[in-house]
Amino acid sequence: MSNATVGKHPCPECGGDLQWNAAKQSLVCPYCGTVVPWTPAQAADPGTAVVEHDLETALRNPEVNRDWGEQRREVQCQSCHAISVFVDGKVAQRCDFCGSPSIIAHESQKDAITPQSLLPFKISDGQVRDLIRAWYGSRWFAPDKLKRAALTDTLHGIYLPYWTFDAHVEASWTADAGHYYYETESYRDQQGNMRTRQVQRVRWVPAAGQLAHFFDDRLVAGTAGVAPGLLAAVEPFPTTTDLKPYSPEFVRGWTVERYQVDLRRASEINRADLDNRVRALCSNEVPGDTQRNLQVDARYHGRTFKHVLMPVWLVSYTYGSRRFQIIANGYTGKIAGKHPYSWVKIFFAVLAAMIATAIIVGVIYYFSESQ
């Protein structure tokens, strides 16, 4: 991507570089405060659109769609190994992902595939601070110190790298379809009397079928700085409807993580995910009540991809000797995280439960004896 493609939109008042402001949902000049509403007409190319790239072509020609094309600086954390990218902005003194001060300059790699679309931040820092405080307040067994502080002073807005994949699939499947039926069976009970009962049987018959399906924007995270389980908990991101073509105004002043799951590895992760989902779809097509020996032959075509940036708010902190993260979807506000537990609270909760159980047992015993 060239500088001409991404474009730059200077402040109309002082000429400074505009930055995206989530609270105002507009471009704002960090120098004079001028607010400039973002419109599609501000794109460098009027016909710019979010483009899907052919996966096979990209894997055969790895030089295509690389180099961000604008001034940027990269640093790598020596603790969690995340690589942070800063576009025309200041470089942090600590890692935004784990809080470690052990960050060193990282040589900008020309081989990095350019992010060509993103979701701009929709949830502001003020909104997410309130959401995190409420989230902490609902954690009954979290230490009171965390509930009071909420640790929102360590809040960072970060664009995480993602890959999206589309694919058409045509699959053939075969299986044994099981149909339940019942037979009457005679047996003797413990007293030696003859009884009858209904016994479930299975009638197995061969089954086969065809499946056609389209997968749209299946996500694969490219981050090394955020735990996969936390990301899965705050997804989805509305990539099929709300993506914007990449423009530096959206990321200027924010931290961008450089992907460390490259396109080839991401495509392999996506293929395994598709195989599992196709198998589940074929399984749903098998008639009857149960099934066995499902065999699926899937043929994929038209596989495409995008490299996109997704907005998250991240809190990273240390409690005792352990590190914890809380993340919020920067577009929907959905929160997930880990927190320490107060063993004092847990002890008294268990003690209270034991006392309550003893009281209930005592009451039951009292009434049973009085009758």
Side-chain angles (χ1 to χ4, degrees), residues 97-98 225-227 230 314-316 323-327 336-338:
F97 296 93
C98 71
V226 179
L230 293 184
L314 175 66
V315 171
S316 179
R323 293 211 60 81
F324 298 90
Q325 286 183 334
I326 301 98
I327 66 171
K338 300 291 185 180

Side-chain angles (χ1 to χ4, degrees), residues 75-84 94-103 158 223-227 257 260 314 316 323 325:
V75 296
Q76 183 170 29
C77 175
Q78 299 303 287
S79 179
C80 71
H81 306 296
I83 299 175
S84 299
R94 289 179 176 269
C95 176
D96 287 349
F97 296 93
C98 71
S100 171
S102 301
I103 55 176
I158 301 173
T223 176
V226 179
E257 185 187 7
Q260 294 193 59
L314 175 66
S316 179
R323 293 211 60 81
Q325 286 183 334

Side-chain angles (χ1 to χ4, degrees), residues 126-315:
Q127 290 174 308
V128 81
R129 289 177 196 277
D130 291 339
L131 291 172
I132 291 175
R133 290 189 184 97
W135 182 86
Y136 268 124
S138 66
R139 308 299 105 172
W140 288 2
F141 294 113
D144 288 334
K145 178 181 178 181
L146 292 181
K147 292 186 178 183
R148 289 192 300 268
L151 297 175
T152 52
D153 57 328
T154 62
L155 183 69
H156 300 284
I158 301 173
Y159 281 102
L160 296 184
Y162 267 86
W163 305 96
T164 74
F165 293 93
D166 292 359
H168 293 271
V169 62
E170 296 176 355
S172 303
W173 59 265
T174 60
D176 295 330
H179 301 265
Y180 294 149
Y181 67 97
Y182 296 86
E183 293 181 341
T184 301
E185 178 183 83
S186 298
Y187 70 100
R188 288 186 183 275
D189 61 19
Q190 293 181 348
Q191 288 73 39
N193 301 316
M194 292 300 298
R195 303 287 186 181
T196 60
R197 59 189 175 193
Q198 294 293 106
V199 179
Q200 179 180 284
R201 308 291 188 192
V202 181
R203 182 177 69 256
W204 295 103
V205 296
Q210 304 286 328
L211 173 76
H213 190 78
F214 174 65
F215 291 99
D216 190 13
D217 273 10
R218 296 298 306 167
L219 291 175
V220 176
T223 176
V226 179
L230 293 184
L231 279 180
V234 301
E235 292 173 357
F237 295 93
T239 58
T240 60
T241 56
D242 295 0
L243 281 182
K244 300 288 190 295
Y246 176 86
S247 185
E249 285 83 1
F250 287 121
V251 302
R252 188 178 293 122
W254 303 82
T255 300
V256 180
E257 185 187 7
R258 183 189 186 277
Y259 66 82
Q260 294 193 59
V261 177
D262 64 15
L263 177 60
R264 186 172 299 279
R265 176 57 183 151
S267 69
E268 294 169 353
I269 295 172
N270 169 252
R271 176 59 186 266
D273 172 60
L274 295 186
D275 286 343
N276 289 334
R277 292 183 177 276
V278 169
R279 184 175 181 84
L281 290 172
C282 290
S283 177
N284 291 336
E285 296 291 314
V286 180
D289 304 301
T290 187
Q291 60 186 258
R292 68 184 183 186
N293 299 329
L294 176 63
Q295 301 293 323
V296 177
D297 178 22
R299 300 168 298 281
Y300 298 96
H301 61 92
R303 291 184 71 189
T304 59
F305 77 95
K306 299 188 298 292
H307 174 30
V308 301
L309 300 177
M310 299 290 101
V312 300
W313 289 102
L314 175 66
V315 171

Side-chain angles (χ1 to χ4, degrees), residues 34-51:
T34 298
V35 177
V36 181
W38 172 266
T39 64
Q42 290 171 304
D45 298 323
T48 297
V50 178
V51 178

